[in-house]
Amino acid sequence: MNSIELQLREQLKTTENDILRIRLLNELAYEMRTFNADESILLAQQALELADRLDYTHESARTKANLSHFYMLNSDLESAKSFSDESLKVLQELNDKEGMAKIYLTIGNIHHRQGDFHTSLQNFQKSMVMYEELGELGGLASALKNLALVYYRFGDTKTAEEYLNRQLEISRQIGDLNSESNALTYLARNGLEQGQVSEAMEKICQSIEIKKQTDDQRGLALARNILGRVYLQSNRLKEAEEVLRESLEDAIRLKDKYGTIVNLTDLSKVQNELQQYDSALKLAARAEKLAVEINARESLIKIYYAKYVSYNATCDFKKALEMYSNYHKAESDVMSVETTGKIRSLEATYRSQLAEKEAEVYRLKNVELAAKNREIKEEKRKSEELLLNILPAEIAEELKEKGRTDARDFDMVSILFTDFKEFTQTSETLSAKELVEEINICFEAFDAICEKYGIEKIKTIGDSYMAAGGLPAPTGDSVKNTLLSGLEMSAFMIERKQIRETAGQVPFEMRTGIHTGPVVAGIVGIKKFQYDIWGDTVNTASRMETHGDVDKVNISQSTYELIKDDPSFRFESRGKIQAKGKGEVEMYFVELKIDQ
């Protein structure tokens, strides 16, 4: 058990978060895929059951993509196809390009194993284009490798080598050892096809060393298979047989049916070279049975040819003719002129599109400076708008000019506080979504009221809203405007309460308090600016709210003295009320006169 697997299993034991559990199950399943595809499938199925139970559509689609990949590795191509179709449909609806790019790779591999190279290539190209657009180099390397496999199969070793060298370069750039060793494995096989035996030997030995280091057991089995082929082509038959049997044992242990077929077929070739024809036929028969079982049409080509060689060498010309006929038919089905033409057409189309993109990039470079200037201006405009949303205009301007602001003393600022009564108990009757939506509706209305009366919103703290009149630029009517704001906020909440009760919904009830006095105001924070105020005035205003009544605006003695002669308002003395930390404080309820 490697350290990553151990860490994931420990996290699974301790986590109680269902969303995190889904992701951990998927990560562990993916970690296990190279040496136990069966367990990968079981883990992913657990993740899928949990995602479906939570109705987590996106995570369900991604888990199905993983299941498709694991079933493909397990050579259950029908199950792999079913899960890939379901996953792709949802990922397209969600426009999850990274998820789509990944599933296109799996779909391409499914069709590749079934010998449908045209469809395989289409999906690999879609994946490559998406990964290029996303700038996701790991995925791009995988897409390049799979494209190389298609071109290798059609004898276009030059194009295959081009893609593999790109994969190798990217893998080394991002430090992905498994991807690097995969590129070396297939470059070795590609070179072997061109008769470059010594170069192939060098690359495959490098790949095997990396595979041992990363414990990629499936990759190691494949690399040993290629080493066996190198020995076979070098006529080192005993060494070829030994390595291929080792690779076969690995494939069987890993329940890799496709790898099992490949090794059985290559061992059959070795036995033919050793003139052990009975043994060669038995190995080929085992490979054929498995290939038919999983519909591995491409594998049947090599199997039939191996059997043809065996029968021909033993003078069983009737069966040799039958096997040659089967070989020719399988080869024609997979390598038809029509299919080859489609493959060439797809490559030509991609190359043309690539050339067009390069031309477009060149054209864009000529206008890049002007575009960047426009972009800078637009970003500056947006940042200034954002700054004005966070800070008062005067303070924002000072910050832009000086890079800092100085704290200021204000002699007379009216502080307004609102708070919802029994907020915790009321919120427990609402869903999280409904709670956030309702608070947002209320606070958006309060923001508009503040803007209407020219008072400054300071901040919200949970269900509490704080604003101030008379800063950053003091005005003669700031006390009156603060009272008008508080009264309009209270009226809004009374109306909102009626609307929700009529709809059979639980309403919020609100208290409002206002106090006037001196404060210090300025910006706090470095990374996230916040305009704030400090002083005993703030604490007293909070007490006005706490000791107020629902649907009322409660003001202090000092605020009352400043506004008592204004004919717009009616006041109700509450006498002296004991306030925490303040002793007895004179308080008044205020309301607008009816004729106002």
Side-chain angles (χ1 to χ4, degrees):
M1 188 180 293
N2 63 36
S3 59
I4 297 175
E5 181 189 347
L6 184 62
Q7 183 181 358
L8 290 169
R9 289 190 187 278
E10 286 300 315
Q11 286 181 274
L12 273 168
K13 288 179 185 177
T14 57
T15 185
E16 294 181 0
N17 184 297
D18 285 338
I19 301 300
L20 179 58
R21 190 169 185 80
I22 292 168
R23 290 174 181 170
L24 287 171
L25 284 166
N26 273 318
E27 285 182 36
L28 180 57
Y30 202 74
E31 184 68 24
M32 297 286 291
R33 76 193 187 284
T34 63
F35 50 89
N36 194 335
D38 282 342
E39 184 169 0
S40 289
I41 289 169
L42 289 173
L43 290 165
Q45 284 174 337
Q46 291 177 38
L48 181 59
E49 287 171 11
L50 188 52
D52 286 344
R53 190 164 70 246
L54 296 173
D55 198 24
Y56 195 174
T57 306
H58 198 173
E59 205 63 39
S60 174
R62 288 197 163 206
T63 303
K64 286 177 181 177
N66 284 341
L67 273 167
S68 178
H69 179 67
F70 302 148
Y71 275 116
M72 185 269 296
L73 291 177
N74 229 20
S75 301
D76 185 349
L77 301 185
E78 289 304 315
S79 296
K81 183 72 166 60
S82 175
F83 277 112
S84 67
D85 288 345
E86 291 177 30
S87 174
L88 180 60
K89 182 180 178 182
V90 176
L91 293 170
Q92 286 174 330
E93 289 171 357
L94 296 170
N95 197 31
D96 179 354
K97 291 189 177 180
E98 186 176 355
M100 288 159 62
K102 185 177 178 182
I103 198 64
Y104 280 135
L105 276 183
T106 300
I107 293 170
N109 272 304
I110 293 168
H111 287 285
H112 188 278
R113 291 194 174 193
Q114 291 177 328
D116 183 357
F117 296 109
H118 175 246
T119 306
S120 175
L121 187 66
Q122 283 181 313
N123 282 280
F124 290 151
Q125 284 187 340
K126 286 178 185 177
S127 177
M128 177 179 63
V129 169
M130 282 190 169
Y131 277 130
E132 283 180 326
E133 289 175 354
L134 291 166
E136 212 288 276
L137 296 181
L140 177 58
S142 295
L144 290 167
K145 176 200 74 177
N146 284 289
L147 280 164
L149 300 185
V150 178
Y151 289 109
Y152 169 83
R153 185 63 192 83
F154 276 81
D156 188 350
T157 52
K158 182 180 178 182
T159 303
E161 186 173 357
E162 177 187 331
Y163 282 122
L164 289 170
N165 279 323
R166 279 188 66 194
Q167 180 202 355
L168 185 62
E169 180 183 348
I170 290 170
S171 302
R172 286 172 173 168
Q173 178 184 337
I174 62 177
D176 187 336
L177 290 176
N178 266 328
S179 182
E180 178 184 347
S181 62
N182 288 339
L184 288 167
T185 294
Y186 290 115
L187 278 167
R189 188 179 71 167
N190 204 62
L192 199 59
E193 191 73 17
Q194 300 174 67
Q196 300 166 355
V197 180
S198 58
E199 292 89 340
M201 177 65 82
E202 181 182 350
K203 285 185 171 64
I204 202 61
C205 288
Q206 289 177 29
S207 176
I208 287 172
E209 286 307 309
I210 295 173
K211 290 298 182 189
K212 288 178 180 177
Q213 181 182 338
T214 60
D215 195 31
D216 177 4
Q217 296 186 34
R218 277 181 179 261
L220 182 58
L222 173 61
R224 283 177 177 151
N225 172 266
I226 303 302
L227 178 60
R229 297 187 196 185
V230 174
Y231 283 139
L232 175 58
Q233 193 151 327
S234 305
N235 205 35
R236 295 161 65 176
L237 301 181
K238 287 298 180 183
E239 290 166 293
E241 182 178 18
E242 182 182 345
V243 172
L244 288 170
R245 287 197 184 279
E246 196 174 322
S247 180
L248 175 62
E249 288 173 7
D250 288 341
I252 292 171
R253 176 175 52 82
L254 294 168
K255 298 183 180 179
D256 179 2
K257 293 181 181 178
Y258 190 79
T260 301
I261 293 167
V262 169
N263 281 292
L264 286 169
T265 306
D266 287 338
L267 275 168
S268 180
K269 292 179 186 177
V270 173
Q271 295 304 302
N272 277 330
E273 291 296 321
L274 290 169
Q275 298 181 7
Q276 302 295 320
Y277 301 115
D278 285 344
S279 176
L281 285 168
K282 287 176 183 177
L283 289 163
R286 284 174 62 190
E288 182 181 5
K289 182 180 178 182
L290 203 50
V292 170
E293 178 188 320
I294 66 171
N295 193 29
R297 292 193 299 156
E298 181 197 4
S299 298
L300 288 169
I301 299 170
K302 295 179 179 179
I303 294 167
Y304 290 141
Y305 191 80
K307 291 179 81 172
Y308 155 72
V309 171
S310 299
Y311 285 127
N312 192 59
T314 56
C315 300
D316 191 341
F317 299 120
K318 181 179 179 181
K319 287 185 177 178
L321 181 60
E322 179 187 346
M323 286 303 110
Y324 190 80
S325 176
N326 289 345
Y327 155 73
H328 183 71
K329 183 178 185 304
E331 180 81 351
S332 298
D333 287 345
V334 172
M335 302 287 286
S336 67
V337 173
E338 180 185 1
T339 302
T340 305
K342 286 178 179 179
I343 297 289
R344 301 296 182 208
S345 174
L346 278 173
E347 177 64 13
T349 301
Y350 168 69
R351 298 277 181 184
S352 173
Q353 290 172 345
L354 187 61
E356 288 175 8
K357 281 185 179 180
E358 289 174 349
E360 180 67 8
V361 168
Y362 178 77
R363 185 187 69 78
L364 288 173
K365 279 184 179 179
N366 293 329
V367 295
E368 186 177 359
L369 184 58
K372 282 201 171 189
N373 285 337
R374 287 195 298 272
E375 185 180 335
I376 290 168
K377 286 180 182 178
E378 178 62 16
E379 288 303 316
K380 183 180 178 183
R381 182 189 66 78
K382 288 180 180 178
S383 65
E384 287 180 353
E385 281 185 4
L386 181 60
L387 202 58
L388 288 172
N389 280 335
I390 299 170
L391 305 174
E394 183 181 319
I395 302 300
E397 200 60 39
E398 182 183 351
L399 184 65
K400 285 191 293 180
E401 287 179 8
K402 297 165 57 178
R404 61 180 177 80
T405 63
D406 299 319
R408 300 180 187 181
D409 292 309
F410 292 87
D411 293 330
M412 191 178 71
V413 173
S414 295
I415 310 297
L416 176 151
F417 272 102
T418 74
D419 194 60
F420 295 143
K421 179 185 176 185
E422 296 179 350
F423 175 76
T424 302
Q425 296 93 316
T426 305
S427 64
E428 286 174 353
T429 66
L430 305 174
S431 68
K433 181 181 179 184
E434 187 180 3
L435 176 64
V436 172
E437 286 178 350
E438 183 60 22
I439 292 175
N440 194 48
I441 287 170
C442 298
F443 285 176
E444 278 188 2
F446 294 179
D447 288 349
I449 292 167
C450 286
E451 188 173 353
K452 175 181 175 180
Y453 290 104
I455 71 169
E456 195 68 41
K457 174 186 176 180
I458 303 300
K459 59 186 171 183
T460 61
I461 309 166
D463 62 311
S464 179
Y465 188 97
M466 179 183 179
L471 56 77
T475 62
D477 57 358
S478 62
V479 178
K480 179 176 182 177
N481 284 338
T482 306
L483 263 64
L484 290 171
S485 296
L487 289 165
E488 194 162 326
M489 289 176 186
S490 183
F492 172 85
M493 289 305 299
I494 292 169
E495 183 181 352
R496 186 71 189 160
K497 177 182 177 182
Q498 292 170 349
I499 291 170
R500 287 185 66 82
E501 285 179 338
T502 302
Q505 298 170 325
V506 178
F508 285 118
E509 296 181 312
M510 187 179 80
R511 297 183 299 263
T512 306
I514 298 172
H515 173 60
T516 306
V519 299
V520 177
I523 289 178
V524 294
I526 298 173
K527 292 187 176 179
K528 293 185 178 180
F529 295 124
Q530 180 178 313
Y531 187 67
D532 209 346
I533 52 179
W534 303 271
D536 187 61
T537 299
V538 176
N539 298 328
T540 304
S542 178
R543 298 291 179 269
M544 292 302 106
E545 174 273 310
T546 304
H547 294 283
D549 282 352
V550 167
D551 299 338
K552 297 279 190 178
V553 176
N554 189 39
I555 66 173
S556 66
Q557 175 76 27
S558 63
T559 303
Y560 168 77
E561 293 295 339
L562 292 165
I563 200 71
K564 66 181 180 180
D565 295 327
D566 192 308
S568 305
F569 303 106
R570 179 181 291 110
F571 303 94
E572 176 189 340
S573 175
R574 304 181 64 200
K576 292 185 177 181
I577 296 175
Q578 187 72 28
K580 182 180 178 182
K582 299 293 176 184
E584 291 186 336
V585 179
E586 193 81 33
M587 300 185 193
Y588 297 82
F589 284 139
V590 61
E591 59 183 31
L592 276 174
K593 288 184 179 178
I594 296 174
D595 57 354
Q596 297 298 316

